[in-house]
């Protein structure tokens, strides 16, 4: 591997994962994230890797895990109602968070941390297939558990 698996690469992967309009690949030779239609039609199997799957149901499950971890019953109930709202659930969830900026900040840190775990697990599977050493997830310096307990 001639490139470094940096925070910027992880951020690009997360951004591409959340794009519901296109699919993307990792070019293991260069570390580039490439739209599937821009990749060569005939691909070297060990060079190109599909990014981790991230559909709306994975996003919804992430929101459910976040809400389940909240200790403040009032905030937890508001967000649970948003999740049960049916159509437009993602917009409803975001709107509910907007009314509570302190919880919204915790949500964004939670989401970023969880998505980074998904990316590192995926990348480590690729490394293992190649007989390379796994990478450790960088230490999370956020004190989300303490913050969550305040709400």
């Amino acid at each position: 591997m001639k490139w470094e698996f940096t925070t910027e690469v992880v951020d690009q992967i997360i951004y591409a994962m959340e794009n519901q309009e296109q699919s993307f690949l990792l070019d293991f030779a260069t570390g580039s994230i490439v739209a599937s239609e821009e990749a060569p039609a005939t691909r070297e199997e060990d060079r190109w890797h599909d990014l981790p799957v991230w559909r709306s149901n994975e996003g919804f499950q992430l929101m459910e895990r976040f809400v389940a971890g909240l200790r403040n019953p009032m905030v937890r109930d508001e967000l649970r109602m948003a999740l049960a709202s049916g159509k437009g659930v993602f917009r409803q969830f975001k709107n509910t968070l907007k009314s509570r900026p302190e919880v919204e900040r915790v949500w964004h840190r939670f989401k970023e941390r969880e998505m980074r775990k998904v990316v590192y697990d995926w990348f480590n599977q690729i490394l293992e297939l190649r007989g390379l050493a796994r990478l450790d997830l960088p230490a999370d310096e956020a004190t989300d558990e303490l913050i969550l307990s305040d709400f």
Side-chain angles (χ1 to χ4, degrees):
M1 189 165 96
K2 298 176 184 172
W3 53 277
E4 192 175 337
F5 193 67
T6 62
T7 301
E8 290 78 24
V9 172
V10 174
D11 288 342
Q12 289 173 3
I13 292 169
I14 290 171
Y15 183 78
M17 285 168 56
E18 290 188 297
N19 183 331
Q20 301 294 304
E21 305 298 318
Q22 286 183 285
S23 62
F24 294 86
L25 301 164
L26 168 70
D27 179 350
F28 196 83
T30 66
S32 301
I33 308 304
V34 179
S36 295
E37 61 270 4
E38 294 174 13
T42 54
R43 302 180 192 130
E44 302 165 42
E45 191 172 309
D46 64 338
R47 177 175 174 174
W48 299 93
H49 297 275
D50 292 319
L51 297 188
V53 173
W54 192 263
R55 296 175 303 257
S56 58
N57 63 324
E58 281 85 11
F60 185 81
Q61 290 169 357
L62 184 65
M63 293 185 301
E64 286 182 318
R65 285 198 318 268
F66 174 74
V67 171
L70 291 172
R71 294 188 181 136
N72 181 307
M74 190 168 78
V75 174
R76 188 176 54 236
D77 289 346
E78 284 178 30
L79 288 170
R80 276 194 179 139
M81 285 177 38
L83 291 176
S85 64
K87 188 173 179 161
V89 66
F90 289 94
R91 173 59 42 211
Q92 194 69 19
F93 187 81
K94 286 179 182 181
N95 289 343
T96 302
L97 284 173
K98 288 255 185 258
S99 69
R100 298 196 175 266
E102 67 282 355
V103 179
E104 184 179 28
R105 283 190 298 275
V106 175
W107 157 249
H108 287 294
R109 283 197 305 267
F110 174 84
K111 179 183 175 194
E112 181 178 338
R113 185 180 66 240
E114 292 300 308
M115 290 192 75
R116 285 184 184 284
K117 284 181 191 175
V118 169
V119 171
Y120 270 83
D121 287 346
W122 163 80
F123 192 68
N124 279 325
Q125 288 174 3
I126 294 170
L127 292 174
E128 285 178 359
L129 288 172
R130 294 170 171 271
L132 300 172
R134 294 177 58 89
L135 297 177
D136 291 327
L137 185 65
D140 185 10
E141 299 178 65
T143 54
D144 290 339
E145 279 301 312
L146 295 174
I147 294 171
L148 283 173
S149 69
D150 291 338
F151 301 113

